[in-house]
Amino acid sequence: MRRTGPHVATAEESRGAPAEPVGPGAGGAALSAETSAEPAGAAEAAAATAAPNASPSPKRAWLVPALVAIVGFAVPFVGMCTEVHFRFSVPVGALGLLVGALGLLGALGTYRGDGPVAGSVTLRVLAPRLAEVVGATFACMLVLTLAVAGVLPKPVLTAAILVPLTLLGVVVSVFRLGHAVGAFRDERGEDVPLLLRHGFWLVVLNVVLFVPMLGSYSLSDPWETHYGEVAREMLARDDWISTWWAQDGWFWSKPVLDFWIQALSFSALGVKFMPDQMLAAVKGGAFPQPEWAARMPVFLLTLAGCYAIYRAVRRAYGPRAGFLSGLVLTTMPYWYLIAHQTMTDMPYVGPLAGAMALTLLGFLTDPDAKVRTYEIRVGQRAFRFTAMHLVWVLVIVSAVPQCLYLASRNLTLHLRPDMKGFRFHADEFFAGSGGGNCGIPGNQACTPEHPVHPELFPLKLGSLHVPIGIPIHLAVGWAAVLGAFLWLSRKERRLASAYFLGAWYFLALSMLGKGAPGLVLPIVTALGFVGVTARWKELSRMELVGLVLVVACVGLPWYVQMFMRHGPPFIDRLIMHDMYKRAFVHVHDTNQGDDTSFAYYVWQLGYGLFPWTGLAASGLLFWLRRPDRTKDLRGDTSALMVVWFVAAFGMFTITLTKFHHYILPLVPATAALTAVLVDRMLGPGPVAKDGKLGAYVCGGTLGLGFLVYGILRLFPRTLLGSELTAARSPGLAGLCIFLGLVLTLTSVRRFGSPGEETAATGLARHDASMLAVVGIASAIVVCLCGRDLFAAVPGNPVDGNARLMHLFTYNYGRQWPESLSFRGAFIGFTAVAAVLSLGTAVTRFRKHGAMLLSLLALVWTAWGLDVYLVACAPHWGQRETILAYYRDRRSDQEPFVAYQMNWKGENFYTGNKVPAFVSSGERFKQWVEEQKQKGVKRIYFTSEHGRVGSLKRELGDPPRFVELTDKTLNNKFFLARVDY
């Protein structure tokens, strides 16, 4: 972070090759724009206009913005100090944080500067656009809140339409705001309409594919409900530091990011997080969907990671390759399935992808290139903003809340009638489930706790004891680290530094998401890239001081305070057991009998990258054909992606504890390399004739859909996986296949551009031969992987239908539901994907084979998320069985009991208001008798289907034992009612 003044861009610098400034937010534009691309005359005029207002401010100019910062930060701080949870505390606190951040940056003088500006606008002109952003954000939040409450008419269908529409409304309004400021110009300094921007369509693609059913099906046991329950307890216990895990006590197995973002979403969207309230509204006719709140933050991180990869690839290979990298990543099952899970993996990999993409952009950027400057004039004053402001704001709004919360651990604002005002005290917290669950069977009694290390540096001056290092002191220390970062970087205007500092911010988030892997993998990859390309001088401009400061103030406060509270047991569990031992000691997985050698992740990647598996394998090698691979933007990009892939694959292959989803961190790099290969197959010219791209895409997509459906109807199952009630109809199948072929071929012939001829040069012929081999090999690989999805593998007990579910679930021996079969769909997708892959081997059909394979991947993703995942979810979760309890019960005095199970869905969906008997016996029988003596006439029980007999025996074979659910609803868990 070199302390330099604002740089005046020269004409040569203004003619740089910036990345396309387009994205879902103004921040994406700022970070992607290298220099001002406006005509020199316009820039000089703008600079002249602003010159009187850009002069140094008078003494004490920092005072007013400093007061604004204090007032802004005071809003969330007071909320943190109070004993009461307010319904709108999160949005109000977020607004206060934003105001405080802007005030703090004003106090540091970051809005002043000389030099040309890329865009200038008055606040009066900007006000309507600001109102649009506020209105669109409010509408989106309102729709999500109504979806969570389940009060929308036809809640699943309405939410599937309104949530994506309002999200896209936010995207469009943010673009219009940035456009009004003068941002979002292309590399030539020209305004490109929103509908012609690749980045916009990538965002649309993600929203349309991922969001419609995001919150309309059950959380999966145990990981989604496990982590969701930890987040729910954060709110119920009002403790955002010490994490609690239902009846199992302290939860120290994972860092805190996933729980924080879920808990914030629960609070902001009105989830009923207190005991016995989560789904209770169903009795009144509502259809609560807390899953929207649980999964939406994960989707937003997914979108950020995908968009960052697009920006990085676009910088080197162009907009089409960048878009394809996002498309390929979006349509890989590993990515789209885990993007729909409230697990810790995407909150770790999404930011990791952002960190690696921004690191690459930093490497690819001219060291002397400056960020664009945008100006907003308010009266006689001018405020100038750059990409660095986005980085600063992100760091501030991530670090300051942690400092404020630590300070609030020693200060409470009481609002009770018997006690009002502030009270200073030591750090106070308790063990136990929040909201009155303490003492319920399976839950320990609530007990007050005291920090193992109440002070960091105890100081004794004679008989006087001075506590040093209590939470409020640590808050001041972390604030000082944040202040050092802001002060050292306050005059930074180099674009490369903005990229690197943005990368380190995402690295800190990744570390908060899953600990050591989120810190180690990006650093190893970046250093490996420097070593492979021999760019040792890059180390001096990678903002390594900024790396240390950002990681410290964003990523470390929670770890340090957890150690202060819980001491060595916390370190032993999180660091030693769940990081070190999982890596080097085989401590915990469910792969008994499986090959966990080098081949383990090779096979899982085969399923997790389908239908791109064959091209992905080829893409990892295709870049090697270049004679000089590290002397230009493309060579550097491919080199970093390969180093990323090798580092991730090596790290998780040598890890002795293996789960299928652990390999997710290498998927973005694989997608980027695959997209580069697909882009080469599409050739230099357009895929469709002028003005016919829309018709080509629609016709091709519809035709491929008919082809898959026609093949599916050759088998005795429907598209939804349920068994056909009528006999199979080969005639219908044949008709659909015929229609599919006609639509697909017509789209190619009428709307597609002519295929390429093999060029005469030796290198071109060599490339054409290589691509032909790639197409044939890809078809073979797709067939092999697809076979495992629909056919039984000799010696392997796993049902092929379950392989996609196993990419993110736990316990791979869980039974596949007999009521579902997607064999026909898997055969259809495999057959069509293999044919299209083979088509890429033919020179004249190559571009259309690659294009149609991309369209098939979109159909595959839509089916995977809206059909396969939705149909499977009831059998891997407990939402449906617990909804049946709330619908059937007559009052809240009729308890819901978990018998010999510990899957966490029973805890999350009841707000942990569930007597849980993991081990039953006499204690269980005694509790039932106590309920009967209290006058309880009806008790509901949930357990696994195989435990029905033992439950009846322990209850004494009650005559009125009614199973309210069956295996077609949930093949793993049942709900039974016993009347006394």
Side-chain angles (χ1 to χ4, degrees), residues 109-140:
T110 64
Y111 303 132
R112 302 191 297 271
D114 298 321
V117 295
S120 181
V121 67
T122 64
L123 182 60
R124 177 174 296 181
V125 172
L126 200 62
R129 299 293 174 260
L130 286 169
E132 286 181 10
V133 173
V134 173
T137 303
F138 176 78
C140 185

PDB file of all heavy atoms in Angstrom, residues 109-140:
ATOM      1  N   GLY A 109     -10.253  11.543   4.487  1.00  0.00           N
ATOM      2  CA  GLY A 109      -9.969  12.356   3.313  1.00  0.00           C
ATOM      3  C   GLY A 109      -9.935  11.595   2.011  1.00  0.00           C
ATOM      4  O   GLY A 109      -9.312  12.048   1.037  1.00  0.00           O
ATOM      5  N   THR A 110     -10.615  10.456   1.945  1.00  0.00           N
ATOM      6  CA  THR A 110     -10.534   9.639   0.733  1.00  0.00           C
ATOM      7  C   THR A 110     -11.393  10.172  -0.401  1.00  0.00           C
ATOM      8  O   THR A 110     -11.255   9.705  -1.537  1.00  0.00           O
ATOM      9  CB  THR A 110     -10.972   8.197   1.025  1.00  0.00           C
ATOM     10  OG1 THR A 110     -12.357   8.187   1.403  1.00  0.00           O
ATOM     11  CG2 THR A 110     -10.138   7.585   2.140  1.00  0.00           C
ATOM     12  N   TYR A 111     -12.289  11.121  -0.121  1.00  0.00           N
ATOM     13  CA  TYR A 111     -13.149  11.640  -1.181  1.00  0.00           C
ATOM     14  C   TYR A 111     -12.519  12.812  -1.922  1.00  0.00           C
ATOM     15  O   TYR A 111     -13.106  13.344  -2.856  1.00  0.00           O
ATOM     16  CB  TYR A 111     -14.501  12.093  -0.613  1.00  0.00           C
ATOM     17  CG  TYR A 111     -15.244  11.021   0.120  1.00  0.00           C
ATOM     18  CD1 TYR A 111     -15.798  11.255   1.373  1.00  0.00           C
ATOM     19  CD2 TYR A 111     -15.387   9.755  -0.424  1.00  0.00           C
ATOM     20  CE1 TYR A 111     -16.484  10.270   2.050  1.00  0.00           C
ATOM     21  CE2 TYR A 111     -16.064   8.755   0.255  1.00  0.00           C
ATOM     22  CZ  TYR A 111     -16.613   9.021   1.498  1.00  0.00           C
ATOM     23  OH  TYR A 111     -17.291   8.033   2.162  1.00  0.00           O
ATOM     24  N   ARG A 112     -11.321  13.236  -1.467  1.00  0.00           N
ATOM     25  CA  ARG A 112     -10.645  14.356  -2.125  1.00  0.00           C
ATOM     26  C   ARG A 112      -9.607  13.826  -3.091  1.00  0.00           C
ATOM     27  O   ARG A 112      -9.124  12.715  -2.970  1.00  0.00           O
ATOM     28  CB  ARG A 112      -9.990  15.262  -1.085  1.00  0.00           C
ATOM     29  CG  ARG A 112     -10.962  15.827  -0.055  1.00  0.00           C
ATOM     30  CD  ARG A 112     -10.314  16.913   0.764  1.00  0.00           C
ATOM     31  NE  ARG A 112      -9.178  16.412   1.545  1.00  0.00           N
ATOM     32  CZ  ARG A 112      -9.274  15.912   2.765  1.00  0.00           C
ATOM     33  NH1 ARG A 112     -10.462  15.821   3.340  1.00  0.00           N
ATOM     34  NH2 ARG A 112      -8.203  15.502   3.409  1.00  0.00           N
ATOM     35  N   GLY A 113      -9.238  14.641  -4.058  1.00  0.00           N
ATOM     36  CA  GLY A 113      -8.204  14.237  -5.008  1.00  0.00           C
ATOM     37  C   GLY A 113      -8.252  15.072  -6.252  1.00  0.00           C
ATOM     38  O   GLY A 113      -9.256  15.708  -6.572  1.00  0.00           O
ATOM     39  N   ASP A 114      -7.119  15.099  -6.939  1.00  0.00           N
ATOM     40  CA  ASP A 114      -7.008  15.820  -8.197  1.00  0.00           C
ATOM     41  C   ASP A 114      -7.017  14.832  -9.346  1.00  0.00           C
ATOM     42  O   ASP A 114      -7.017  13.628  -9.145  1.00  0.00           O
ATOM     43  CB  ASP A 114      -5.714  16.640  -8.214  1.00  0.00           C
ATOM     44  CG  ASP A 114      -5.699  17.684  -7.094  1.00  0.00           C
ATOM     45  OD1 ASP A 114      -6.765  18.275  -6.848  1.00  0.00           O
ATOM     46  OD2 ASP A 114      -4.623  17.879  -6.485  1.00  0.00           O
ATOM     47  N   GLY A 115      -6.976  15.356 -10.555  1.00  0.00           N
ATOM     48  CA  GLY A 115      -6.904  14.488 -11.725  1.00  0.00           C
ATOM     49  C   GLY A 115      -8.239  14.351 -12.407  1.00  0.00           C
ATOM     50  O   GLY A 115      -9.281  14.796 -11.914  1.00  0.00           O
ATOM     51  N   PRO A 116      -8.224  13.706 -13.575  1.00  0.00           N
ATOM     52  CA  PRO A 116      -9.455  13.564 -14.364  1.00  0.00           C
ATOM     53  C   PRO A 116     -10.435  12.606 -13.710  1.00  0.00           C
ATOM     54  O   PRO A 116     -10.049  11.733 -12.934  1.00  0.00           O
ATOM     55  CB  PRO A 116      -8.939  12.988 -15.687  1.00  0.00           C
ATOM     56  CG  PRO A 116      -7.679  12.277 -15.316  1.00  0.00           C
ATOM     57  CD  PRO A 116      -7.062  13.078 -14.222  1.00  0.00           C
ATOM     58  N   VAL A 117     -11.695  12.804 -14.021  1.00  0.00           N
ATOM     59  CA  VAL A 117     -12.741  11.920 -13.521  1.00  0.00           C
ATOM     60  C   VAL A 117     -13.415  11.247 -14.703  1.00  0.00           C
ATOM     61  O   VAL A 117     -13.546  11.821 -15.783  1.00  0.00           O
ATOM     62  CB  VAL A 117     -13.791  12.691 -12.679  1.00  0.00           C
ATOM     63  CG1 VAL A 117     -13.178  13.250 -11.418  1.00  0.00           C
ATOM     64  CG2 VAL A 117     -14.437  13.803 -13.498  1.00  0.00           C
ATOM     65  N   ALA A 118     -13.841  10.005 -14.484  1.00  0.00           N
ATOM     66  CA  ALA A 118     -14.490   9.248 -15.547  1.00  0.00           C
ATOM     67  C   ALA A 118     -15.967   9.572 -15.654  1.00  0.00           C
ATOM     68  O   ALA A 118     -16.602   9.305 -16.673  1.00  0.00           O
ATOM     69  CB  ALA A 118     -14.297   7.752 -15.318  1.00  0.00           C
ATOM     70  N   GLY A 119     -16.533  10.141 -14.611  1.00  0.00           N
ATOM     71  CA  GLY A 119     -17.947  10.490 -14.624  1.00  0.00           C
ATOM     72  C   GLY A 119     -18.256  11.427 -13.489  1.00  0.00           C
ATOM     73  O   GLY A 119     -17.715  11.284 -12.383  1.00  0.00           O
ATOM     74  N   SER A 120     -19.115  12.384 -13.734  1.00  0.00           N
ATOM     75  CA  SER A 120     -19.483  13.359 -12.716  1.00  0.00           C
ATOM     76  C   SER A 120     -20.971  13.615 -12.791  1.00  0.00           C
ATOM     77  O   SER A 120     -21.537  13.726 -13.890  1.00  0.00           O
ATOM     78  CB  SER A 120     -18.703  14.665 -12.928  1.00  0.00           C
ATOM     79  OG  SER A 120     -19.028  15.609 -11.922  1.00  0.00           O
ATOM     80  N   VAL A 121     -21.618  13.713 -11.632  1.00  0.00           N
ATOM     81  CA  VAL A 121     -23.056  13.889 -11.595  1.00  0.00           C
ATOM     82  C   VAL A 121     -23.426  14.591 -10.293  1.00  0.00           C
ATOM     83  O   VAL A 121     -22.713  14.477  -9.284  1.00  0.00           O
ATOM     84  CB  VAL A 121     -23.774  12.519 -11.689  1.00  0.00           C
ATOM     85  CG1 VAL A 121     -23.514  11.674 -10.460  1.00  0.00           C
ATOM     86  CG2 VAL A 121     -25.268  12.688 -11.922  1.00  0.00           C
ATOM     87  N   THR A 122     -24.525  15.325 -10.336  1.00  0.00           N
ATOM     88  CA  THR A 122     -25.007  15.973  -9.118  1.00  0.00           C
ATOM     89  C   THR A 122     -25.909  15.017  -8.351  1.00  0.00           C
ATOM     90  O   THR A 122     -26.489  14.096  -8.928  1.00  0.00           O
ATOM     91  CB  THR A 122     -25.790  17.246  -9.446  1.00  0.00           C
ATOM     92  OG1 THR A 122     -26.966  16.885 -10.178  1.00  0.00           O
ATOM     93  CG2 THR A 122     -24.943  18.215 -10.265  1.00  0.00           C
ATOM     94  N   LEU A 123     -26.017  15.252  -7.052  1.00  0.00           N
ATOM     95  CA  LEU A 123     -26.870  14.409  -6.229  1.00  0.00           C
ATOM     96  C   LEU A 123     -28.325  14.511  -6.669  1.00  0.00           C
ATOM     97  O   LEU A 123     -29.065  13.524  -6.607  1.00  0.00           O
ATOM     98  CB  LEU A 123     -26.737  14.805  -4.754  1.00  0.00           C
ATOM     99  CG  LEU A 123     -27.549  13.968  -3.763  1.00  0.00           C
ATOM    100  CD1 LEU A 123     -27.127  12.505  -3.827  1.00  0.00           C
ATOM    101  CD2 LEU A 123     -27.379  14.508  -2.351  1.00  0.00           C
ATOM    102  N   ARG A 124     -28.736  15.690  -7.151  1.00  0.00           N
ATOM    103  CA  ARG A 124     -30.122  15.853  -7.590  1.00  0.00           C
ATOM    104  C   ARG A 124     -30.420  14.932  -8.774  1.00  0.00           C
ATOM    105  O   ARG A 124     -31.481  14.318  -8.846  1.00  0.00           O
ATOM    106  CB  ARG A 124     -30.378  17.303  -7.981  1.00  0.00           C
ATOM    107  CG  ARG A 124     -31.781  17.554  -8.528  1.00  0.00           C
ATOM    108  CD  ARG A 124     -32.023  19.024  -8.752  1.00  0.00           C
ATOM    109  NE  ARG A 124     -31.982  19.775  -7.508  1.00  0.00           N
ATOM    110  CZ  ARG A 124     -32.182  21.102  -7.425  1.00  0.00           C
ATOM    111  NH1 ARG A 124     -32.429  21.804  -8.519  1.00  0.00           N
ATOM    112  NH2 ARG A 124     -32.117  21.708  -6.254  1.00  0.00           N
ATOM    113  N   VAL A 125     -29.475  14.821  -9.699  1.00  0.00           N
ATOM    114  CA  VAL A 125     -29.664  13.931 -10.843  1.00  0.00           C
ATOM    115  C   VAL A 125     -29.629  12.477 -10.393  1.00  0.00           C
ATOM    116  O   VAL A 125     -30.350  11.624 -10.926  1.00  0.00           O
ATOM    117  CB  VAL A 125     -28.580  14.207 -11.908  1.00  0.00           C
ATOM    118  CG1 VAL A 125     -28.632  13.167 -13.014  1.00  0.00           C
ATOM    119  CG2 VAL A 125     -28.744  15.612 -12.471  1.00  0.00           C
ATOM    120  N   LEU A 126     -28.806  12.190  -9.407  1.00  0.00           N
ATOM    121  CA  LEU A 126     -28.610  10.819  -8.954  1.00  0.00           C
ATOM    122  C   LEU A 126     -29.749  10.330  -8.055  1.00  0.00           C
ATOM    123  O   LEU A 126     -29.967   9.123  -7.929  1.00  0.00           O
ATOM    124  CB  LEU A 126     -27.284  10.720  -8.191  1.00  0.00           C
ATOM    125  CG  LEU A 126     -26.652   9.339  -8.041  1.00  0.00           C
ATOM    126  CD1 LEU A 126     -26.319   8.766  -9.415  1.00  0.00           C
ATOM    127  CD2 LEU A 126     -25.398   9.435  -7.184  1.00  0.00           C
ATOM    128  N   ALA A 127     -30.461  11.260  -7.426  1.00  0.00           N
ATOM    129  CA  ALA A 127     -31.471  10.892  -6.430  1.00  0.00           C
ATOM    130  C   ALA A 127     -32.514   9.901  -6.943  1.00  0.00           C
ATOM    131  O   ALA A 127     -32.845   8.925  -6.254  1.00  0.00           O
ATOM    132  CB  ALA A 127     -32.153  12.150  -5.891  1.00  0.00           C
ATOM    133  N   PRO A 128     -33.075  10.092  -8.166  1.00  0.00           N
ATOM    134  CA  PRO A 128     -34.060   9.094  -8.636  1.00  0.00           C
ATOM    135  C   PRO A 128     -33.486   7.695  -8.756  1.00  0.00           C
ATOM    136  O   PRO A 128     -34.169   6.710  -8.478  1.00  0.00           O
ATOM    137  CB  PRO A 128     -34.485   9.642 -10.006  1.00  0.00           C
ATOM    138  CG  PRO A 128     -34.170  11.101  -9.959  1.00  0.00           C
ATOM    139  CD  PRO A 128     -32.951  11.218  -9.110  1.00  0.00           C
ATOM    140  N   ARG A 129     -32.226   7.614  -9.158  1.00  0.00           N
ATOM    141  CA  ARG A 129     -31.609   6.293  -9.271  1.00  0.00           C
ATOM    142  C   ARG A 129     -31.371   5.680  -7.896  1.00  0.00           C
ATOM    143  O   ARG A 129     -31.524   4.467  -7.724  1.00  0.00           O
ATOM    144  CB  ARG A 129     -30.290   6.400 -10.032  1.00  0.00           C
ATOM    145  CG  ARG A 129     -30.448   6.925 -11.444  1.00  0.00           C
ATOM    146  CD  ARG A 129     -31.205   5.916 -12.317  1.00  0.00           C
ATOM    147  NE  ARG A 129     -31.486   6.456 -13.639  1.00  0.00           N
ATOM    148  CZ  ARG A 129     -32.651   6.966 -14.012  1.00  0.00           C
ATOM    149  NH1 ARG A 129     -33.665   6.992 -13.158  1.00  0.00           N
ATOM    150  NH2 ARG A 129     -32.833   7.439 -15.223  1.00  0.00           N
ATOM    151  N   LEU A 130     -30.988   6.485  -6.940  1.00  0.00           N
ATOM    152  CA  LEU A 130     -30.850   5.986  -5.572  1.00  0.00           C
ATOM    153  C   LEU A 130     -32.191   5.482  -5.046  1.00  0.00           C
ATOM    154  O   LEU A 130     -32.270   4.441  -4.378  1.00  0.00           O
ATOM    155  CB  LEU A 130     -30.300   7.083  -4.655  1.00  0.00           C
ATOM    156  CG  LEU A 130     -28.810   7.411  -4.798  1.00  0.00           C
ATOM    157  CD1 LEU A 130     -28.483   8.686  -4.031  1.00  0.00           C
ATOM    158  CD2 LEU A 130     -27.968   6.254  -4.276  1.00  0.00           C
ATOM    159  N   ALA A 131     -33.254   6.216  -5.368  1.00  0.00           N
ATOM    160  CA  ALA A 131     -34.588   5.793  -4.937  1.00  0.00           C
ATOM    161  C   ALA A 131     -34.968   4.464  -5.579  1.00  0.00           C
ATOM    162  O   ALA A 131     -35.603   3.615  -4.942  1.00  0.00           O
ATOM    163  CB  ALA A 131     -35.612   6.875  -5.296  1.00  0.00           C
ATOM    164  N   GLU A 132     -34.564   4.263  -6.840  1.00  0.00           N
ATOM    165  CA  GLU A 132     -34.839   2.986  -7.503  1.00  0.00           C
ATOM    166  C   GLU A 132     -34.150   1.836  -6.774  1.00  0.00           C
ATOM    167  O   GLU A 132     -34.743   0.773  -6.567  1.00  0.00           O
ATOM    168  CB  GLU A 132     -34.357   3.034  -8.952  1.00  0.00           C
ATOM    169  CG  GLU A 132     -35.228   3.871  -9.873  1.00  0.00           C
ATOM    170  CD  GLU A 132     -34.697   3.843 -11.292  1.00  0.00           C
ATOM    171  OE1 GLU A 132     -33.787   3.035 -11.578  1.00  0.00           O
ATOM    172  OE2 GLU A 132     -35.172   4.642 -12.125  1.00  0.00           O
ATOM    173  N   VAL A 133     -32.892   2.035  -6.395  1.00  0.00           N
ATOM    174  CA  VAL A 133     -32.158   0.983  -5.695  1.00  0.00           C
ATOM    175  C   VAL A 133     -32.820   0.668  -4.363  1.00  0.00           C
ATOM    176  O   VAL A 133     -33.028  -0.505  -4.010  1.00  0.00           O
ATOM    177  CB  VAL A 133     -30.688   1.396  -5.484  1.00  0.00           C
ATOM    178  CG1 VAL A 133     -29.963   0.382  -4.607  1.00  0.00           C
ATOM    179  CG2 VAL A 133     -29.975   1.523  -6.822  1.00  0.00           C
ATOM    180  N   VAL A 134     -33.173   1.716  -3.625  1.00  0.00           N
ATOM    181  CA  VAL A 134     -33.825   1.505  -2.326  1.00  0.00           C
ATOM    182  C   VAL A 134     -35.162   0.802  -2.517  1.00  0.00           C
ATOM    183  O   VAL A 134     -35.493  -0.147  -1.794  1.00  0.00           O
ATOM    184  CB  VAL A 134     -34.014   2.851  -1.599  1.00  0.00           C
ATOM    185  CG1 VAL A 134     -34.850   2.669  -0.334  1.00  0.00           C
ATOM    186  CG2 VAL A 134     -32.655   3.456  -1.248  1.00  0.00           C
ATOM    187  N   GLY A 135     -35.936   1.241  -3.496  1.00  0.00           N
ATOM    188  CA  GLY A 135     -37.239   0.626  -3.741  1.00  0.00           C
ATOM    189  C   GLY A 135     -37.124  -0.822  -4.171  1.00  0.00           C
ATOM    190  O   GLY A 135     -37.869  -1.688  -3.702  1.00  0.00           O
ATOM    191  N   ALA A 136     -36.188  -1.114  -5.079  1.00  0.00           N
ATOM    192  CA  ALA A 136     -36.014  -2.492  -5.537  1.00  0.00           C
ATOM    193  C   ALA A 136     -35.538  -3.392  -4.402  1.00  0.00           C
ATOM    194  O   ALA A 136     -35.996  -4.534  -4.262  1.00  0.00           O
ATOM    195  CB  ALA A 136     -35.011  -2.533  -6.690  1.00  0.00           C
ATOM    196  N   THR A 137     -34.627  -2.881  -3.574  1.00  0.00           N
ATOM    197  CA  THR A 137     -34.139  -3.669  -2.432  1.00  0.00           C
ATOM    198  C   THR A 137     -35.265  -3.924  -1.438  1.00  0.00           C
ATOM    199  O   THR A 137     -35.412  -5.038  -0.918  1.00  0.00           O
ATOM    200  CB  THR A 137     -32.979  -2.930  -1.743  1.00  0.00           C
ATOM    201  OG1 THR A 137     -31.943  -2.682  -2.699  1.00  0.00           O
ATOM    202  CG2 THR A 137     -32.416  -3.773  -0.604  1.00  0.00           C
ATOM    203  N   PHE A 138     -36.070  -2.908  -1.181  1.00  0.00           N
ATOM    204  CA  PHE A 138     -37.196  -3.074  -0.263  1.00  0.00           C
ATOM    205  C   PHE A 138     -38.187  -4.104  -0.809  1.00  0.00           C
ATOM    206  O   PHE A 138     -38.682  -4.960  -0.065  1.00  0.00           O
ATOM    207  CB  PHE A 138     -37.900  -1.737  -0.042  1.00  0.00           C
ATOM    208  CG  PHE A 138     -39.134  -1.836   0.813  1.00  0.00           C
ATOM    209  CD1 PHE A 138     -39.043  -1.940   2.192  1.00  0.00           C
ATOM    210  CD2 PHE A 138     -40.400  -1.846   0.228  1.00  0.00           C
ATOM    211  CE1 PHE A 138     -40.171  -2.044   2.977  1.00  0.00           C
ATOM    212  CE2 PHE A 138     -41.538  -1.953   1.003  1.00  0.00           C
ATOM    213  CZ  PHE A 138     -41.425  -2.057   2.385  1.00  0.00           C
ATOM    214  N   ALA A 139     -38.482  -4.023  -2.103  1.00  0.00           N
ATOM    215  CA  ALA A 139     -39.418  -4.977  -2.706  1.00  0.00           C
ATOM    216  C   ALA A 139     -38.883  -6.394  -2.602  1.00  0.00           C
ATOM    217  O   ALA A 139     -39.626  -7.338  -2.293  1.00  0.00           O
ATOM    218  CB  ALA A 139     -39.682  -4.605  -4.162  1.00  0.00           C
ATOM    219  N   CYS A 140     -37.597  -6.568  -2.853  1.00  0.00           N
ATOM    220  CA  CYS A 140     -36.999  -7.899  -2.758  1.00  0.00           C
ATOM    221  C   CYS A 140     -37.067  -8.431  -1.338  1.00  0.00           C
ATOM    222  O   CYS A 140     -37.426  -9.598  -1.110  1.00  0.00           O
ATOM    223  CB  CYS A 140     -35.555  -7.837  -3.251  1.00  0.00           C
ATOM    224  SG  CYS A 140     -34.747  -9.438  -3.329  1.00  0.00           S
TER     225      CYS A 140
END
